[in-house]
Amino acid sequence: MKGSLIILSFFVLGLILGLTRFLPTTLLEGNFSIYALYLLMFLVGIGIGTDRDSWKVIKQVNIKIILVPLSVIVGSLIGVSAVSVFLSNINFGEAMAVGAGFGYYSLSSVMITEFHGETLGVIALLSNIIREILTLLATPLFVRYFGKLAGIASGGATAMDTTMPIIVQYSGKEYAIIAVFSGIVLTILVPVIVPLILQFL
């Protein structure tokens, strides 16, 4: 939990510095986060490459690895469907579209805004950001009570990048490959599933 709070603290610090613009203009206007992501993926790759146990996990789960992103899709859509029953301003289809973002807030919120409207787009943005933050904070508890795949399921599409450090820390390096695989599959499916759901609204 301590690691999660440290990560959240850095996020909040960055948010405050960005809002107050108490940083050089070059840093504020440049897209440095993508380079940080490249570096993160490079370091994760090194970690996986040097850890033989990571490859053993893939051999053990083989075809079962496909069940991880599939379970995330089914679980996310069932979850938002259940929640939509208690929401008077959001119908079943709209809730499904928001849930189909799978944590990929930057893309899903833009697509929903474009195809359905700004209000639902903002809801999608906030919902998926909260999903990511919740994963960063609660993965230690998820892993303890629900198993090593719980953090990957919670992270959704972000399991391949922003939430991977916390997932690897508490599930183990051997689960990094599964996290990357699940995250890639979900990232690819977001621009397919979201418009498909919105088409029927």
Side-chain angles (χ1 to χ4, degrees):
M1 191 58 119
K2 182 182 176 183
S4 300
L5 292 173
I6 291 171
I7 291 170
L8 183 63
S9 299
F10 274 103
F11 171 77
V12 171
L13 177 62
L15 189 64
I16 292 169
L17 290 173
L19 288 170
T20 58
R21 304 191 73 82
F22 191 67
L23 290 168
T25 307
T26 309
L27 193 59
L28 289 170
E29 295 178 356
N31 188 20
F32 292 102
S33 58
I34 191 67
Y35 298 111
L37 177 59
Y38 292 155
L39 178 61
L40 172 65
M41 295 305 292
F42 175 69
L43 294 173
V44 167
I46 291 174
I48 294 170
T50 56
D51 186 8
R52 303 302 177 196
D53 290 335
S54 300
W55 302 103
K56 288 178 184 176
V57 169
I58 292 295
K59 289 176 184 176
Q60 288 169 2
V61 297
N62 49 64
I63 196 69
K64 292 178 185 175
I65 195 172
I66 297 170
L67 295 175
V68 177
L70 183 62
S71 299
V72 175
I73 292 168
V74 173
S76 296
L77 296 182
I78 289 175
V80 293
S81 300
V83 170
S84 70
V85 175
F86 304 99
L87 301 174
S88 57
N89 296 327
I90 298 177
N91 62 41
F92 173 79
E94 290 172 336
M96 291 274 282
V98 171
F102 307 127
Y104 194 173
Y105 56 83
S106 56
L107 178 62
S108 62
S109 59
V110 170
M111 292 179 74
I112 290 172
T113 298
E114 184 176 339
F115 291 115
H116 192 73
E118 291 182 1
T119 302
L120 193 65
V122 171
I123 291 170
L125 176 67
L126 294 175
S127 298
N128 285 290
I129 286 176
I130 289 169
R131 178 173 184 160
E132 182 176 329
I133 292 173
L134 185 63
T135 302
L136 290 170
L137 287 173
T139 289
L141 295 175
F142 291 158
V143 171
R144 179 182 296 177
Y145 294 106
F146 303 108
K148 303 233 179 223
L149 293 173
I152 298 173
S154 174
T158 68
M160 64 177 276
D161 45 55
T162 53
T163 59
M164 183 185 280
I166 201 75
I167 290 169
V168 169
Q169 183 178 347
Y170 289 96
S171 293
K173 283 196 290 185
E174 63 271 22
Y175 282 84
I177 292 176
I178 298 175
V180 170
F181 176 80
S182 180
I184 288 172
V185 170
L186 293 170
T187 298
I188 292 169
L189 290 178
V190 167
V192 176
I193 297 176
V194 171
L196 191 63
I197 293 171
L198 292 173
Q199 188 178 329
F200 294 100
L201 295 181

